Amino acid sequence: MDDGMLERLADLIVGVGANVQPGQVVAVGSEPGKEALTRAIVRSAYRHGAKFVDVSVWDLHVKKARIELSREEDLDFVPPWFGQRMLALGDMRGVRIALSGPVEPTLFAGLPPERLGRDQLPFVPEAMKVVNDRTVNWCVAPCPTEKWASFVHRDLEPAEALARLEEQLVHIMRLDEADPAEAWRSRVAAIASAAERLDERGFDAIRFRGEGTDLRVGLLPSSTWTGGAMDTVGGISHIANLPTEEVFTAPDPQRVDGEVRATKPLVLGGTTIEGLRVRFEGGRAVAITADTGGDVLEAMTRRDEGAARLGELALVDREGRIGPMDTVFYDTLLDENAASHIALGAAYELTVRDEADIDRINRSDIHIDFMIGSPEIEVDGLEADGNAVPVLREGVWQI
């Protein structure tokens, strides 16, 4: 990616996604191999008036060493300053920017799943708290790397694969538009409109049906659909995911039943999970199997009481730019915005209206999205009397 396009991408992430304001402290989470975009984001943040930009780099090889060599009793240990740092950023009404895209998609292959499931870093539970408290404006965005590109486009030479991935990301991020910011404002408005229509229907549950999938996800009485932009407690509007193509809500963690087949692979750190199948009974994931890597996810669901229950339900139409590419990106940010999905673990408080339902949403130290939608999966809204209303057919809204 040339310097001009890199600067355009950084400005989009900083100015439109995170919406950095003058005087804010900006925390940037990166990895080795993402230096060029990281530095461009730092420069953009200072141009937008940042008070200070704090860059942290997480190296998966360091995590691998811990998984392989740490004492069993130490695997759950997280230095207290990790969480305190996150809470301090919220207290300062700061900004979080994180760069997605796997730098080592198969690094953890062959490592013991039980040990992998116990080490959640760099994720810390305090990250969910600052999101629920709406004390930070934040954005997660993709960063192309050669190893990621070669994993996605395995039939191409590394340089060609990287060029192809960068070309796709330019389109996905709407950087090929004359005014990317305006293009995102238009898309966000369309997503918000879909959320409003879903809210108006007040469905009791959402049902997914298709090959390998027959899943019913109950909703709470005040489950609220949201999508596109979010606002902090201080009124700063931001787009938490760039790209974003989803509308999402909080499911009832006690009312999820049936079987579901993942329609795309899932990458957790350096583990790739393919052919994932999950069976739910009474809200709990009681059986998790996969062609590869399923034991890692199954181990994670034993972390706490809420880890085997759902905290998010998201619907995605076909009007976004990711799905039509028919490419598996092996990156949750991109793949979840190509297809409807659910998430095991913690729910977002902003997806319910009533205080009583906030107490009922799922709580957990994990939040793991996996994709269950495709043009072949029918999505219905179920009314309280059991009447089924078509919601998505071949990726097109029916409401």
Side-chain angles (χ1 to χ4, degrees), residues 29-30 167 227 250 255 269 300 309 366 388 397:
S30 186
E167 177 186 26
R255 294 198 302 131
M300 289 181 175
R309 297 184 185 273
I366 72 168
W397 292 113

Side-chain angles (χ1 to χ4, degrees), residues 248-383:
F248 62 99
T249 193
D252 183 338
Q254 305 295 324
R255 294 198 302 131
V256 182
D257 293 279
E259 297 184 349
V260 64
R261 177 181 60 86
T263 52
K264 291 180 181 291
L266 168 65
V267 174
L268 293 177
T271 300
T272 301
I273 300 173
E274 307 215 37
L276 176 63
R277 298 170 295 279
V278 184
R279 179 164 56 85
F280 289 88
E281 292 179 2
R284 288 190 61 82
V286 296
I288 296 175
T289 59
D291 297 338
T292 61
D295 46 1
V296 174
L297 180 61
E298 199 275 334
M300 289 181 175
T301 63
R302 296 197 298 273
R303 184 173 181 85
D304 53 50
E305 171 58 28
R309 297 184 185 273
L310 292 189
E312 181 184 345
L313 165 64
L315 302 179
V316 178
D317 68 6
R318 71 178 187 188
E319 296 305 312
R321 295 191 172 190
I322 308 172
M325 288 184 174
D326 197 26
T327 299
V328 177
F329 286 100
Y330 298 92
D331 175 54
T332 299
L333 174 66
L334 297 184
D335 290 334
E336 75 170 2
N337 281 292
S340 298
H341 53 276
I342 52 179
L344 290 162
Y348 298 106
E349 290 183 4
L350 62 88
T351 52
V352 291
R353 289 186 301 273
D354 297 343
E355 193 70 30
D357 284 340
I358 289 179
D359 292 337
R360 295 174 61 188
I361 65 173
N362 200 38
R363 307 284 181 176
S364 175
D365 283 350
I366 72 168
H367 181 92
I368 299 172
D369 299 273
F370 63 96
M371 288 56 72
I372 65 172
S374 75
E376 291 73 39
I377 300 294
E378 295 184 347
V379 181
D380 292 328
L382 302 181
E383 298 177 329

Side-chain angles (χ1 to χ4, degrees), residues 152-227:
V152 174
H153 299 295
R154 303 178 199 188
D155 57 331
L156 300 178
E157 293 298 317
E160 295 175 321
L162 181 58
R164 175 58 180 149
L165 179 61
E166 289 177 345
E167 177 186 26
Q168 290 177 307
L169 291 180
V170 165
H171 182 65
I172 287 169
M173 299 295 281
R174 291 170 166 78
L175 291 169
D176 51 2
E177 298 281 348
D179 187 346
E182 178 56 37
W184 276 111
R185 281 191 286 270
S186 176
R187 179 57 177 159
V188 164
I191 293 170
S193 175
E196 290 173 3
R197 296 195 302 274
L198 284 164
D199 272 342
E200 289 171 359
R201 299 307 299 255
F203 292 123
D204 176 67
I206 300 294
R207 184 176 65 197
F208 296 83
R209 290 191 299 179
E211 184 178 354
T213 291
D214 189 351
L215 182 71
R216 176 175 175 145
V217 181
L219 303 180
L220 295 166
S222 70
S223 288
T224 301
W225 293 91
T226 189

